[in-house]
Amino acid sequence: MTTTALSDVEMALRAEMVHCGRLLYDRGLIVAGDGNLSARLPDGSILMTPAGLAKGMLTVDDLVVVDLDGQLIRGAPGRQPSSERYLHLFVYRQRPDIMACVHAHPPTAVGATLAGVNLAEPLLPEALIALGPIPTAAYALTGTPEMGAAIAPFVADHEAILLAYHGALTYGATLMQAFHRMEQIEHCARTLLAAHLFGGARPLPPERLAELAEVRRAFRAAGRI
C-alpha cells in the first residue's frame, strides 16, 4: 500500500492520528506499545493504529484499515490491527455519531480503578461540564469481544469511560476531541489524588451540581463539548 493513492480525507486523518499518538506518549498517557487510536473513514471503514508498535513513534504508513467486523482491509506488509479493535468497533456500531476513539493507560486514573476509587462522583466542575460523570466498566480480558460487553452499559450516555485494572476509553467527533477527553480524565484523577493528600475532597451542594448539569446540557446543545 502507498499513501499516494489515498484520498485527502484519509491522509489528513492519518496525519492527525500520528500526531495524537505522539501527544499521548509525550503526556505519559501511554508507554511502549500501549494504547490504540481509531477514526471512521467516509466509506464506513475504520482507520486504526497497528498492533505491537509504539503509538508515539508511528508514521502515516504504519496505520491500517479494518471493517466493522475487525477484518483487515488494507495495511502495509507485516502490519495488523490492534488486538483491542473490538473495543473501538463496539463504540462505532452503537454510536453512529462517533467519529474517533482513543484508548490509553493514564496512570493516575488506572490507579484509581485499582484502589476502587470512583471517578463518577461529581466533584470537579470542569470535569462535570466537559465529561460528565466518568464511570468505571468492569474488568474484561484485553483483546476480546468481552471488552465491548463491559462498556455496553455506558456507551450511549458517556464519552469517557474508565476500564477497571486496564485503562480508559474516550471518543468524540474528532481524534483531537477524544485525545483532549483522555487528557481530562488523567487531570481529574490527579486533582482528586491531590485532594486526598490534603485530607479529602468536599462535594459541592446539590443545587450547585444542578447548575453544572444545566451548563453541560447547554454546551452539548451548542456543540461546544
Side-chain angles (χ1 to χ4, degrees), residues 42-60:
D43 65 0
S45 60
I46 306 298
L47 181 69
M48 182 170 287
T49 51
L53 298 186
K55 309 312 180 293
M57 303 176 185
L58 296 175
T59 70
V60 294

mmCIF file of all heavy atoms in Angstrom, residues 42-60:
data_model
loop_
_atom_site.group_PDB
_atom_site.id
_atom_site.type_symbol
_atom_site.label_atom_id
_atom_site.label_comp_id
_atom_site.label_asym_id
_atom_site.label_seq_id
_atom_site.Cartn_x
_atom_site.Cartn_y
_atom_site.Cartn_z
ATOM 1 N N PRO A 42 -14.813 8.021 5.546
ATOM 2 C CA PRO A 42 -16.092 8.339 4.884
ATOM 3 C C PRO A 42 -16.855 7.125 4.340
ATOM 4 O O PRO A 42 -18.083 7.142 4.282
ATOM 5 C CB PRO A 42 -15.658 9.270 3.745
ATOM 6 C CG PRO A 42 -14.426 9.929 4.260
ATOM 7 C CD PRO A 42 -13.715 8.872 5.047
ATOM 8 N N ASP A 43 -16.145 6.064 3.971
ATOM 9 C CA ASP A 43 -16.837 4.885 3.433
ATOM 10 C C ASP A 43 -17.319 3.924 4.517
ATOM 11 O O ASP A 43 -17.856 2.846 4.216
ATOM 12 C CB ASP A 43 -15.939 4.145 2.442
ATOM 13 C CG ASP A 43 -14.691 3.541 3.090
ATOM 14 O OD1 ASP A 43 -14.505 3.700 4.321
ATOM 15 O OD2 ASP A 43 -13.902 2.904 2.364
ATOM 16 N N GLY A 44 -17.127 4.301 5.797
ATOM 17 C CA GLY A 44 -17.584 3.461 6.904
ATOM 18 C C GLY A 44 -16.529 2.530 7.458
ATOM 19 O O GLY A 44 -16.735 1.920 8.513
ATOM 20 N N SER A 45 -15.414 2.391 6.782
ATOM 21 C CA SER A 45 -14.323 1.586 7.321
ATOM 22 C C SER A 45 -13.602 2.372 8.417
ATOM 23 O O SER A 45 -13.844 3.564 8.612
ATOM 24 C CB SER A 45 -13.354 1.173 6.211
ATOM 25 O OG SER A 45 -12.804 2.318 5.587
ATOM 26 N N ILE A 46 -12.708 1.692 9.133
ATOM 27 C CA ILE A 46 -12.076 2.282 10.315
ATOM 28 C C ILE A 46 -10.560 2.305 10.147
ATOM 29 O O ILE A 46 -9.928 1.257 9.948
ATOM 30 C CB ILE A 46 -12.435 1.486 11.585
ATOM 31 C CG1 ILE A 46 -13.957 1.351 11.738
ATOM 32 C CG2 ILE A 46 -11.816 2.138 12.811
ATOM 33 C CD1 ILE A 46 -14.702 2.648 11.894
ATOM 34 N N LEU A 47 -10.002 3.493 10.221
ATOM 35 C CA LEU A 47 -8.553 3.670 10.258
ATOM 36 C C LEU A 47 -8.090 3.429 11.692
ATOM 37 O O LEU A 47 -8.698 3.935 12.639
ATOM 38 C CB LEU A 47 -8.195 5.081 9.813
ATOM 39 C CG LEU A 47 -6.710 5.445 9.769
ATOM 40 C CD1 LEU A 47 -6.006 4.679 8.658
ATOM 41 C CD2 LEU A 47 -6.540 6.949 9.583
ATOM 42 N N MET A 48 -6.998 2.664 11.864
ATOM 43 C CA MET A 48 -6.615 2.234 13.204
ATOM 44 C C MET A 48 -5.104 2.101 13.321
ATOM 45 O O MET A 48 -4.411 1.820 12.341
ATOM 46 C CB MET A 48 -7.284 0.889 13.502
ATOM 47 C CG MET A 48 -7.040 0.315 14.868
ATOM 48 S SD MET A 48 -8.110 -1.112 15.188
ATOM 49 C CE MET A 48 -9.693 -0.308 15.423
ATOM 50 N N THR A 49 -4.613 2.289 14.532
ATOM 51 C CA THR A 49 -3.203 2.032 14.795
ATOM 52 C C THR A 49 -2.937 0.531 14.781
ATOM 53 O O THR A 49 -3.812 -0.269 15.107
ATOM 54 C CB THR A 49 -2.789 2.627 16.152
ATOM 55 O OG1 THR A 49 -3.702 2.186 17.161
ATOM 56 C CG2 THR A 49 -2.794 4.146 16.098
ATOM 57 N N PRO A 50 -1.722 0.130 14.410
ATOM 58 C CA PRO A 50 -1.407 -1.294 14.315
ATOM 59 C C PRO A 50 -1.032 -1.897 15.658
ATOM 60 O O PRO A 50 -0.713 -1.186 16.620
ATOM 61 C CB PRO A 50 -0.203 -1.302 13.361
ATOM 62 C CG PRO A 50 0.492 -0.016 13.675
ATOM 63 C CD PRO A 50 -0.600 0.981 13.983
ATOM 64 N N ALA A 51 -1.054 -3.192 15.714
ATOM 65 C CA ALA A 51 -0.655 -3.917 16.923
ATOM 66 C C ALA A 51 0.861 -3.886 17.076
ATOM 67 O O ALA A 51 1.603 -3.940 16.099
ATOM 68 C CB ALA A 51 -1.142 -5.363 16.849
ATOM 69 N N GLY A 52 1.308 -3.786 18.326
ATOM 70 C CA GLY A 52 2.705 -4.035 18.641
ATOM 71 C C GLY A 52 3.673 -2.895 18.477
ATOM 72 O O GLY A 52 4.824 -3.010 18.906
ATOM 73 N N LEU A 53 3.249 -1.779 17.889
ATOM 74 C CA LEU A 53 4.157 -0.667 17.671
ATOM 75 C C LEU A 53 3.913 0.437 18.694
ATOM 76 O O LEU A 53 2.789 0.619 19.161
ATOM 77 C CB LEU A 53 3.989 -0.092 16.264
ATOM 78 C CG LEU A 53 4.299 -1.027 15.088
ATOM 79 C CD1 LEU A 53 4.224 -0.249 13.786
ATOM 80 C CD2 LEU A 53 5.663 -1.687 15.242
ATOM 81 N N ALA A 54 4.973 1.180 19.024
ATOM 82 C CA ALA A 54 4.846 2.317 19.933
ATOM 83 C C ALA A 54 4.019 3.404 19.258
ATOM 84 O O ALA A 54 4.374 3.873 18.177
ATOM 85 C CB ALA A 54 6.216 2.845 20.314
ATOM 86 N N LYS A 55 2.906 3.794 19.882
ATOM 87 C CA LYS A 55 1.992 4.750 19.253
ATOM 88 C C LYS A 55 2.552 6.167 19.216
ATOM 89 O O LYS A 55 2.028 7.014 18.507
ATOM 90 C CB LYS A 55 0.634 4.739 19.984
ATOM 91 C CG LYS A 55 0.019 3.355 20.162
ATOM 92 C CD LYS A 55 0.034 2.546 18.884
ATOM 93 C CE LYS A 55 -0.584 1.162 19.046
ATOM 94 N NZ LYS A 55 0.172 0.259 19.926
ATOM 95 N N GLY A 56 3.619 6.417 19.966
ATOM 96 C CA GLY A 56 4.268 7.715 19.907
ATOM 97 C C GLY A 56 5.316 7.810 18.820
ATOM 98 O O GLY A 56 5.924 8.869 18.648
ATOM 99 N N MET A 57 5.514 6.732 18.057
ATOM 100 C CA MET A 57 6.585 6.704 17.051
ATOM 101 C C MET A 57 6.099 6.194 15.703
ATOM 102 O O MET A 57 6.877 5.658 14.912
ATOM 103 C CB MET A 57 7.742 5.832 17.556
ATOM 104 C CG MET A 57 8.304 6.277 18.888
ATOM 105 S SD MET A 57 9.578 5.155 19.518
ATOM 106 C CE MET A 57 9.897 5.877 21.138
ATOM 107 N N LEU A 58 4.823 6.349 15.438
ATOM 108 C CA LEU A 58 4.252 5.835 14.193
ATOM 109 C C LEU A 58 4.481 6.797 13.031
ATOM 110 O O LEU A 58 4.704 7.994 13.217
ATOM 111 C CB LEU A 58 2.747 5.618 14.360
ATOM 112 C CG LEU A 58 2.293 4.578 15.374
ATOM 113 C CD1 LEU A 58 0.768 4.585 15.485
ATOM 114 C CD2 LEU A 58 2.790 3.192 14.982
ATOM 115 N N THR A 59 4.394 6.253 11.824
ATOM 116 C CA THR A 59 4.308 7.056 10.610
ATOM 117 C C THR A 59 2.934 6.825 9.998
ATOM 118 O O THR A 59 2.217 5.869 10.358
ATOM 119 C CB THR A 59 5.385 6.664 9.588
ATOM 120 O OG1 THR A 59 5.074 5.364 9.049
ATOM 121 C CG2 THR A 59 6.761 6.621 10.239
ATOM 122 N N VAL A 60 2.574 7.666 9.040
ATOM 123 C CA VAL A 60 1.258 7.509 8.404
ATOM 124 C C VAL A 60 1.143 6.181 7.669
ATOM 125 O O VAL A 60 0.044 5.641 7.496
ATOM 126 C CB VAL A 60 0.967 8.679 7.442
ATOM 127 C CG1 VAL A 60 0.824 9.978 8.214
ATOM 128 C CG2 VAL A 60 2.047 8.808 6.366
#
